[in-house]
Amino acid sequence: EDRPDVERAEPPDAEAEDQALEHHIDIHAVQRLPAEEHHRQYDEQAVEVVAKFARLKASLMPYLYRNAVYTHKTGIPMMRSMVLEFGETDRTVCYLDKQYMLGDNLLVAPIFNDKSIGEFYLPEGRWTDFLTGKEYNGEKWYKDTYDYYHIPLMVRPDSIVAVGACDETCEYDYAEGVTYKVYALEDGNSAESFVVDGDGNIVSKVSVTRNGDDYSIKFEGDKACKVEFINTDKEVVEFNKSGEITV
């Protein structure tokens, strides 16, 4: 709900609100390169790394912009500490200062060393690496080595992430051809996600409920979308208009 004590400005602008992933692009492009290469900050490899994460950010704009609108309405930060999201149920997160939630469903653990070592903690549940699809069990610490093109970017259990059809610019129709990716939905649970337009209005929405091996999907919108179930044997479901289906 809107906070009545906060004066509201205009709805967030796409170019102004999509910076949440950019702070660690420079880390990948510069700090993680070998020390002798730091003076060549913008060599070919650094450019490739920046391009990789710029495309990632562009494809995540439906998700990022929805969360930016939520921040605009509520004042809850888009980049939020782990304790803000999980502090009531997991005391371990009270001491984490090198990872954060990017919106409601993505956990980011930037790599701040030139050894390319990423170390992070995951709260309860079955988390999924957004970039590789690998699953991790929660309530555990993890440590691994990552190349320049990867970081720990983990998807929260029981969540749906909307991924755009474009990765070349941050300004496009986020609802057109969007893919809703369903992650680690446990039996009996439900999840939903939606896309908003420039005025903050919902223009595309998907909700999914799991019952055993069956997934009930409801889509609301007038632009084509896809629903993809990550790490399952379910085929991609396509909608051209509002409807419901069980797979």
Side-chain angles (χ1 to χ4, degrees):
E1 299 179 356
D2 288 354
R3 289 172 51 187
D5 57 326
V6 178
E7 182 178 353
R8 295 299 165 204
E10 293 299 317
D13 176 76
E15 286 297 323
E17 294 291 341
D18 66 1
Q19 306 303 314
L21 281 174
E22 285 192 344
H23 78 286
H24 64 259
I25 288 178
D26 287 338
I27 295 171
H28 279 265
V30 181
Q31 289 187 343
R32 292 181 62 195
L33 294 176
E36 64 271 14
E37 296 185 24
H38 280 187
H39 68 285
R40 295 188 289 117
Q41 294 184 6
Y42 302 106
D43 65 2
E44 183 176 347
Q45 186 175 37
V47 171
E48 291 177 355
V49 172
V50 171
K52 160 83 173 183
F53 284 93
R55 289 192 296 270
L56 172 63
K57 182 185 70 174
S59 69
L60 282 173
M61 280 307 298
Y63 170 83
L64 295 174
Y65 191 71
R66 172 179 67 80
N67 277 280
V69 170
Y70 180 76
T71 293
H72 171 75
K73 291 181 176 180
T74 66
I76 297 175
M78 186 169 169
M79 294 173 60
R80 59 195 71 162
S81 67
M82 297 294 293
V83 68
L84 179 62
E85 198 73 15
F86 300 99
E88 293 185 359
T89 57
D90 191 336
R91 295 186 62 183
T92 301
V93 302
C94 298
Y95 308 97
L96 302 178
D97 61 355
K98 293 182 175 64
Q99 62 184 69
Y100 61 92
M101 292 299 294
L102 176 58
D104 50 359
N105 291 326
L106 292 179
L107 182 155
V108 183
I111 297 174
F112 294 104
N113 60 83
D114 60 4
K115 306 298 183 183
S116 295
I117 297 175
E119 188 171 8
F120 55 94
Y121 173 82
L122 297 176
E124 182 181 7
R126 184 160 49 99
W127 294 72
T128 308
D129 187 315
F130 182 84
L131 298 175
T132 68
K134 181 179 178 180
E135 292 187 345
Y136 295 79
N137 291 321
E139 296 185 296
K140 293 178 62 177
W141 281 92
Y142 292 91
K143 184 177 182 180
D144 205 348
T145 301
Y146 292 80
D147 62 33
Y148 299 141
Y149 302 93
H150 295 83
I151 60 168
L153 178 60
M154 315 302 295
V155 186
R156 191 174 189 165
D158 293 320
S159 63
I160 302 175
V161 177
V163 178
C166 176
D167 65 0
E168 296 180 352
T169 176
C170 291
E171 294 191 76
Y172 58 95
D173 185 344
Y174 302 147
E176 187 67 52
V178 64
T179 297
Y180 291 98
K181 296 191 175 185
V182 183
Y183 289 88
L185 189 61
E186 299 296 341
D187 189 15
N189 291 351
S190 299
E192 70 174 29
S193 184
F194 56 88
V195 176
V196 298
D197 61 16
D199 295 320
N201 301 312
I202 297 176
V203 293
S204 177
K205 181 179 179 179
V206 158
S207 57
V208 180
T209 300
R210 179 179 176 183
N211 292 295
D213 292 331
D214 296 330
Y215 294 82
S216 299
I217 312 166
K218 181 179 180 180
F219 169 63
E220 301 173 66
D222 57 5
K223 294 184 178 179
C225 80
K226 298 179 181 179
V227 179
E228 181 179 353
F229 296 89
I230 305 302
N231 292 328
T232 74
D233 59 0
K234 301 296 183 181
E235 295 184 357
V236 175
V237 178
E238 297 187 17
F239 287 94
N240 292 315
K241 59 181 180 179
S242 297
E244 300 182 36
I245 189 174
T246 298
V247 296

